[in-house]
């Protein structure tokens, strides 16, 4: 009987040799398609001492072998995720789940919970509660708004939330991706201790969201948010000696800077923490839309898998363009949109 590592190696070899009976893929062809060396392919398929590929490579395998359309002009060439049909995407996700499960077993994680494909980072797949935390608008802003007094018959609670457009965009997407989960939303001041131990999503920066401030301090991220609104440099993110700030002219915002972070929840390591945080509200909306916008979410999720593989914690600081007041969804597959990636 094959060992756990050999079972994965045998499956990878069978995909290459037997996936399409009329077309046997050679190791050099597969190596070119995956942009790796032939000896590395051989080590993954070894029948004696197989190496375990990173999760990102298994995602590439699943994308290649989910459709014979990957074979073009006698070569194996990966299709863009957006070019796959719904049926091919289903085949890809099923194959990926199989390969990741074999990988978990090979790494001695057979008793762990089943590994799910990370096709959508907002799909947690465990049915556990999810809490989205926003800042609350300060009293001086609330004083200028209607319907924010709880004693007013027309009181509208959501008017008191900062980053309301980002919340509206993200709340519906998360509920659609996690139908078995309770999705809650709170301002930072309304949180109960139990809320902090769910899958935790923090929207907005350290100005009005105190939880983001505390979590930034606890995580020790290599990126800091400096809100020197009245200083010469203005507000910016810093990494070492580098500063990354929004671009304005005559008071109009043309480009914001926003952070996306994903890692274990420091209050409950079995759940996740996600931060979506721009210097301005439109930056927060832009970084949310990076993984909700139907035109870019698959491409950006694919980039995260390819870039970070099975890293438990990672972050991207990216540009968010604003054209005539409208937020343009960042394309993380374009290098120019990314300012910092962590871990490097």
């Amino acid at each position: 009987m094959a060992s756990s590592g050999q079972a994965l190696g045998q499956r990878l070899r069978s995909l290459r040799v037997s996936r399409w009976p009329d077309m046997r893929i050679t190791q050099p062809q597969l190596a070119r398609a995956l942009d790796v060396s032939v000896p590395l392919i051989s080590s993954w398929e070894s029948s004696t001492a197989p190496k375990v590929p990173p999760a990102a490579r298994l995602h590439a395998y699943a994308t290649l072998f989910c459709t014979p359309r990957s074979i073009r002009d006698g070569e194996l060439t990966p299709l863009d995720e957006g070019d796959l049909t719904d049926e091919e995407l289903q085949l890809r996700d099923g194959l990926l789940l199989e390969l990741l499960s074999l990988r978990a077993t090979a790494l001695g994680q057979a008793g762990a919970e089943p590994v799910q494909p990370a096709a959508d980072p907002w799909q947690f797949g465990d049915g556990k509660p999810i809490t989205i935390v926003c800042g609350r608008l300060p009293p001086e802003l609330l004083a200028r708004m209607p319907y924010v007094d709880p004693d007013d018959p027309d009181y509208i609670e959501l008017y008191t939330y900062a980053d309301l457009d980002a919340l509206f965009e993200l709340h519906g997407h998360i509920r659609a991706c996690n139908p078995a989960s309770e999705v809650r939303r709170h301002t930072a001041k309304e949180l109960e201790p139990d809320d902090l131990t769910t899958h935790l999503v923090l929207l907005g920066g350290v100005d009005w969201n105190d939880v983001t401030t505390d979590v930034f301090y606890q995580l020790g991220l290599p990126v800091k948010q400096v809100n020197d609104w009245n200083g010469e440099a203005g507000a910016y993110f810093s990494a070492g000696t580098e500063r990354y700030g929004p671009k304005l002219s005559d008071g109009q915002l043309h480009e914001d800077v926003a952070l996306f972070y994903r890692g274990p929840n420091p209050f409950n390591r079995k759940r996740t923490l996600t931060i979506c945080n721009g210097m301005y509200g439109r930056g927060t909306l832009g970084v949310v839309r990076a993984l909700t916008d139907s035109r870019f979410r698959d491409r950006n999720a694919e980039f995260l898998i390819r870039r970070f593989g099975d890293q438990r914690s990672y972050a991207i600081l990216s540009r968010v363009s604003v054209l005539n007041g409208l937020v343009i969804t960042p394309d993380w597959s374009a290098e120019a949109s990314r300012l910092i990636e962590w871990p490097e």
Side-chain angles (χ1 to χ4, degrees):
M1 180 179 294
S3 70
S4 55
Q6 289 171 332
L8 176 59
Q10 288 175 0
R11 182 62 175 126
L12 294 178
R13 186 177 189 279
S14 73
L15 286 173
R16 180 177 63 80
V17 174
S18 309
R19 183 66 167 178
W20 301 299
D22 57 342
M23 178 65 180
R24 177 173 174 141
I25 305 299
T26 66
Q27 287 189 347
Q29 285 176 313
L30 182 56
R32 287 193 293 272
L34 298 178
D35 194 24
V36 299
S37 68
V38 174
L40 190 57
I41 296 291
S42 181
S43 73
W44 293 341
E45 296 182 0
S46 171
S47 59
T48 54
K51 304 285 187 183
V52 178
R57 294 300 184 191
L58 297 182
H59 187 278
Y61 263 93
T63 303
L64 280 169
F65 288 102
C66 73
T67 173
R69 294 194 299 127
S70 298
I71 302 171
R72 285 173 279 177
D73 299 324
E75 283 294 319
L76 192 63
T77 306
L79 294 174
D80 290 335
E81 182 144 346
D83 293 331
L84 297 175
T85 66
D86 290 344
E87 182 180 1
E88 289 167 343
L89 284 170
Q90 279 192 330
L91 289 171
R92 192 280 308 273
D93 289 348
L95 181 56
L96 178 58
L97 178 58
E98 176 194 357
L99 294 177
L100 288 176
S101 297
L102 287 171
R103 182 179 187 273
T105 303
L107 292 174
Q109 301 168 1
E113 293 182 2
V115 181
Q116 297 294 329
D120 188 329
W122 292 119
Q123 187 173 27
F124 300 110
D126 58 6
K128 303 301 183 183
I130 302 161
T131 304
I132 305 174
V133 184
C134 294
R136 181 180 170 87
L137 293 175
E140 60 269 22
L141 291 183
L142 292 175
R144 292 152 44 186
M145 297 175 60
Y147 312 132
V148 295
D149 181 353
D151 293 329
D152 188 325
D154 287 321
Y155 171 67
I156 299 175
E157 181 196 2
L158 285 179
Y159 279 9
T160 67
Y161 280 57
D163 298 296
L164 185 55
D165 49 1
L167 172 62
F168 184 83
E169 174 78 19
L170 186 58
H171 187 273
H173 185 81
I174 288 180
R175 288 196 64 181
C177 290
N178 302 274
S181 294
E182 179 186 2
V183 183
R184 309 164 183 162
R185 46 111 184 120
H186 292 296
T187 62
K189 301 293 186 186
E190 299 169 335
L191 289 173
E192 300 289 340
D194 285 351
D195 295 320
L196 294 171
T197 60
T198 65
H199 290 293
L200 195 59
V201 182
L202 306 182
L203 287 183
V206 300
D207 269 348
W208 298 331
N209 193 334
D210 295 338
V211 180
T212 303
T213 304
D214 293 342
V215 167
F216 255 75
Y217 177 78
Q218 287 200 26
L219 293 177
L221 294 177
V223 177
K224 293 183 173 61
Q225 184 178 0
V226 180
N227 292 339
D228 188 15
W229 296 103
N230 298 318
E232 182 179 346
Y236 58 88
F237 285 96
S238 69
T241 60
E242 297 294 324
R243 293 182 176 182
Y244 305 93
K247 296 179 181 178
L248 300 94
S249 65
D250 298 326
Q252 186 175 6
L253 182 64
H254 298 287
E255 180 180 287
D256 204 354
V257 180
L259 176 72
F260 179 84
Y261 169 84
R262 167 62 61 81
N265 184 337
F267 310 112
N268 180 358
R269 306 296 288 182
K270 291 187 176 182
R271 305 291 177 263
T272 60
L273 168 70
T274 311
I275 300 173
C276 297
N277 171 21
M279 296 307 307
Y280 291 93
R282 278 174 283 192
T284 301
L285 175 61
V287 79
V288 163
R289 285 183 58 78
L291 293 168
T292 62
D293 186 335
S294 60
R295 294 159 297 180
F296 290 94
R297 64 193 181 203
D298 291 343
R299 187 186 315 171
N300 286 332
E302 169 77 17
F303 170 79
L304 293 180
I305 294 171
R306 187 172 66 251
R307 172 64 179 81
F308 299 112
D310 52 1
Q311 292 280 350
R312 297 196 70 201
S313 302
Y314 58 87
I316 293 180
L317 187 69
S318 62
R319 306 179 193 274
V320 177
S321 296
V322 179
L323 183 64
N324 197 28
L326 301 175
V327 174
I328 309 301
T329 303
D331 178 359
W332 289 338
S333 68
E335 185 175 357
S337 74
R338 308 189 309 270
L339 296 169
I340 297 174
E341 302 158 46
W342 176 85
E344 297 179 355

